[in-house]
Amino acid sequence: MPFLVPVDTGVPLAAPTFWIVAHRRALGRQPSTLYNELRSLMWLYLWAAARGVDIQQRLREGAFFALTEIIDIVNFCGRFTADALQEIDERSSKLSRLARRRKDSGRSVQSAEQRNRLAAISSFIEFTSADFLSVLAPWPQRWDHYNAVRTQCLDRLRGYTGGLAKPRRDDLGLPEGLEAAALKRLREVIEPDHPDNPFQPEVRFRNYFIIRLLLELGLRRGELLGVKLSDCNLGSTGSLTVHRRPDDPDDPRRDKPSAKTAARVLALNGRMTELAHEWVVHYRAKIPGARRHLFLVVNSRTGGPMSKSNLNKIFEALRHRVPGLPAELSPHILRHSWNDAFSETMDRKGIPGAQEVKWRARLMGWRSEFTARNYLRRTVRRRSNEVLKEMQDGLNIAPLEGVS
């Protein structure tokens, strides 16, 4: 569970802790999401440190923030951390720094990051001030005044946030699945006996099994690392269940992986069931320390549950040691590749679009079918270009006389 902790005290701040536990975590947010939201909220407290403002006092007394301060907060949230910390350091120093003060870099973070910071700040102010507002219920006039100032502050803050440049809507340079040649190369080189396999012999089958799971099931990194032996049905009708286990007490990893998507049961074909059985019985069972826990994928040296960084190193080795694989190869890129393959299968089978959307959402664990757009860039481009070419081929335009 993440907390916002000032360096000078080492004690978590009470108001952000209450906000993240009672409000954000109660909505089912994953630890990684809570961490990112606290990182965003941190900018309100960085601004307060740079300006000498007591956030809790402002909210408790109903003073909130003046228009100039709101504009300053918006601008401050667009800065890089080094620039913000430099300003705080200069303000807190008792020595004159005028002679050696560095100029602000003038750099700004991307508008999406700035919007995330301001969204967390707005949520925190709204939630925390609601608690103070509820206390004023016995005094209607004080309640009305506090609520009016609160509403005005939140409206202004959200107004400036909404005015920031929105992320681009084109798909140039955004993640896509692997090209056919790269995907073929990956499937070949991960075979344990392939001459270009970049891994040590003792981890080749494990890494082969990991990448096959990512390719065949479209799992997220956190979902894969969170699978337990009890989630695997390796009988005649094999299956693997993805569970949401936030803050799992049985997980000894400091940075616990988590499933962002909904729990679901995914079918395994005969070959994938055989691979899972072989990994569990003939490989995992022989690794010292692996019997101390139930997680499916383990560290080959310690036997403990595999960490995110350990999994990342597998893909780092593939990117750096295997010619023909793209620099952006990652577990998430393989999730995009799964979606490309799913679309091609639906096209071959002639499955109606509405049915395809529902099936995809269930297999991916998405609560909203709208999420699919982030994984369909290659498919949308392929299908739209096919239609465009068909339209062009159907245009029988006779050449003009005299024009060769």
Side-chain angles (χ1 to χ4, degrees), residues 298-316:
V298 303
N299 183 297
S300 62
R301 182 176 55 85
T302 67
M306 177 176 282
S307 65
K308 295 178 185 178
S309 60
N310 196 182
L311 180 59
N312 290 341
K313 288 178 181 178
I314 294 176
F315 283 83
E316 182 180 346

Side-chain angles (χ1 to χ4, degrees), residues 316-383:
E316 182 180 346
L318 287 167
R319 293 193 302 266
H320 293 168
R321 301 178 193 172
V322 180
L325 294 181
E328 65 272 14
L329 178 65
S330 68
H332 202 66
I333 291 297
L334 298 191
R335 186 168 167 87
H336 282 270
S337 295
W338 182 93
N339 276 277
D340 291 340
F342 182 80
S343 297
E344 293 173 3
T345 301
M346 295 297 98
D347 288 347
R348 287 197 303 269
K349 291 181 173 294
I351 303 299
Q355 195 68 34
E356 176 186 346
V357 169
K358 291 180 179 179
W359 290 0
R360 188 192 304 272
R362 195 205 74 80
L363 293 173
M364 290 286 94
W366 296 327
R367 293 175 177 80
S368 170
E369 298 171 354
F370 185 71
T371 309
R373 69 172 189 167
N374 296 321
Y375 294 85
L376 294 176
R377 296 185 185 101
R378 185 186 303 282
T379 297
V380 170
R381 186 172 65 250
R382 173 179 60 82
R383 289 174 175 173

